[in-house]
Amino acid sequence: MLERFLDRHPDYAKTAFLDDLRARDFSRLDDQGHVYLDFTGAGLYAASHVREHAALLEQGVFGNPHSANPTSTATTHLVESARAAVLEWFNGAGDYTAVFTANASAGLKLVGESYPFRSAGRYLLTADNHNSVNGIREFAGAGGARVDYAPLTVPELRIDQPKLIALLDEADRSAANLFAFPAQSNFSGVKHPLALVDRAKERGWHVLLDAAALAPTNRLDLEAVKPDFVVVSFYKMFGFPTGVGCLIVRNSALAVLERPWFAGGTVNFASVHGRRRVLAPREAGFEDGTLNFLGIPAVESGLERLRAIGMEAIGTRVGCLAEWLIARLLELRHANGRALVRIYGPASGVMRGGTVTMNFYDPDGHLVDYRRIDELAGLEGISLRTGCFCNPGAGEWAEGLTDDDMLAGASAGADMTLPRFLQIVQHKGKSAGAIRVSLGLVSTFADVERFVAFAASFRDQTALTIGEVTFDIESCRVIRDGG
């Protein structure tokens, strides 16, 4: 099978040095029998990266950067060096400002609460978006702006570009209009066209680009693609540190933002008696309170590691493995000829990343509960992710969920949960969740084949029983031997 794989994907051989990297810096995976297939959820940290950062902390003395004392100055130097490294990595030095945040979601919230949404303006987003992008619609609605969603095509779950352009063309160019979309879907792995940035800007829109799922395996060049706002999370890129993200803002767009409050570190002057404040310029006006100053230096060293490895090699490996995985899963059939696996999104490697989302079906075409798959995968040492992945829109389009379906769920009010909604739509032969496998820096052919073998074990099994294992839908537990 390996020969067959290499024959189809000869470029994979050029990434063999990543196997050495895995053995050297990620040996815990094989030592403990892990098959890690959740790179879109989080990257894995290299052992030497953690040791290097621990040595920095052990040998230095670093204080809160909001001062001019020696320990604060030492910290400020590291933070600003990391900031410069981020802008250099994304080729945005001079044109962009890097604002450190707790994560990508915090960066999105900064945009949402600060963007000048007004009654004449619009907030347009694609149906394929993370909930942290969806959440900005609350700020838009509160400001009186109109909120619209651009639909997706089925079955590939790509942006319906003619309909998107029609929506972009409807905007009042004299108003503040914000368009948001992901560079790569965290649900389907689709890489949406970055050319949409220019097409929106030509029509008078500011553009917010969610690059969190793209950045771990692709280099985003802000000289070539010029969105107004970009968000990333560094733990998705190289596993460590957690709790550090970044909002990268085009300098011309920074002046558009209107912060609704101020906090420690964001003002040059604030008075209680006069009830006045002067917001600090550039990034300082948006970095609330004390930064994760002991974690941020690891961002620079993490980027240096990616530079040494080469993003092209990472992208090549992930692309080869993803194409192979999709092909292998689509080959799986029950004895009666029915497909075992349904892939959501492209069935090829064209304009897609290493995120592959699916559901399993039994010989009668009944959906196998994804929660059952999650539990059984865990018993095999396979780490994957199930649910809606904080991206309800892509899931709704993938499963053909309608307004009536969603209203049926909303009717339960505050008691509605995803498991309860799943029970409602399963009666209609639909799902409200899926199984997501995502590949990354040190994924291997063996990892993919382990998952394919796991998936193949469901052939000719009914939706509620697998061998001697029965799954209790209500408790989401695996029951063995009837106990």
Side-chain angles (χ1 to χ4, degrees), residues 194-439:
L194 296 179
L196 293 176
V197 172
D198 281 344
R199 298 188 75 178
K201 291 174 73 70
E202 289 167 359
R203 290 164 170 79
W205 293 74
H206 289 110
V207 179
L208 167 58
L209 185 68
D210 178 0
L214 179 79
T217 56
N218 298 267
R219 192 76 171 265
L220 177 64
D221 183 351
L222 294 179
E223 182 63 32
V225 181
K226 301 179 180 180
D228 298 285
F229 313 102
V230 182
V231 292
V232 295
S233 275
F234 295 109
Y235 74 91
K236 292 183 182 290
M237 295 176 69
F238 33 78
F240 174 82
T242 57
V244 181
C246 195
L247 167 64
I248 305 172
V249 187
R250 192 164 178 81
N251 292 334
S252 58
L254 192 64
V256 173
L257 301 181
E258 304 168 347
R259 292 226 63 189
W261 82 309
F262 64 92
T266 65
V267 287
N268 282 346
F269 173 81
S271 168
V272 171
H273 282 301
R275 298 197 181 185
R276 296 288 186 273
R277 54 87 174 158
V278 177
L279 197 67
R282 297 177 66 86
E283 69 275 353
F286 293 84
E287 292 178 341
D288 298 328
T290 301
L291 293 171
N292 181 358
F293 61 86
L294 294 182
I296 286 174
V299 170
E300 182 172 5
S301 52
L303 292 173
E304 283 302 317
R305 288 171 175 274
L306 291 184
R307 191 189 311 277
I309 293 166
M311 295 302 290
E312 183 177 353
I314 298 171
T316 295
R317 168 161 287 222
V318 169
C320 291
L321 291 174
E323 282 197 59
W324 177 258
L325 172 62
I326 292 168
R328 292 279 281 138
L329 290 173
L330 292 177
E331 290 173 353
L332 299 178
R333 299 276 166 174
H334 296 291
N336 63 6
R338 285 183 180 269
L340 169 60
V341 178
R342 176 187 176 189
I343 302 290
Y344 297 115
S348 72
V350 178
M351 284 295 288
R352 68 130 57 240
T355 299
V356 182
T357 298
M358 69 203 77
N359 264 317
F360 292 180
Y361 292 82
D362 75 3
D364 296 321
H366 297 138
L367 176 72
V368 180
D369 195 303
Y370 63 79
R371 295 169 295 182
R372 171 192 186 188
I373 305 301
D374 193 12
E375 184 135 6
L376 294 176
L379 296 175
E380 296 293 326
I382 300 173
S383 293
L384 44 76
R385 192 164 293 263
T386 61
C388 71
F389 323 118
C390 296
N391 189 334
E396 290 165 18
W397 251 261
E399 277 294 332
L401 296 175
T402 65
D403 289 346
D404 288 341
D405 293 328
M406 308 317 295
L407 289 173
S411 65
D415 293 331
M416 177 51 61
T417 62
L418 181 59
R420 287 195 62 191
F421 183 65
L422 179 61
Q423 290 179 338
I424 293 172
V425 297
Q426 277 183 330
H427 291 300
K428 302 180 180 182
K430 301 177 181 180
S431 177
I435 305 153
R436 188 180 77 185
V437 167
S438 51
L439 306 165

Side-chain angles (χ1 to χ4, degrees), residues 21-44:
L21 175 66
R22 175 169 170 144
R24 184 173 65 251
D25 249 341
F26 301 85
S27 59
R28 60 192 185 276
L29 287 171
D30 298 315
D31 291 346
Q32 299 175 31
H34 283 290
V35 177
Y36 187 78
L37 298 173
D38 192 25
F39 280 91
T40 300
L44 293 178

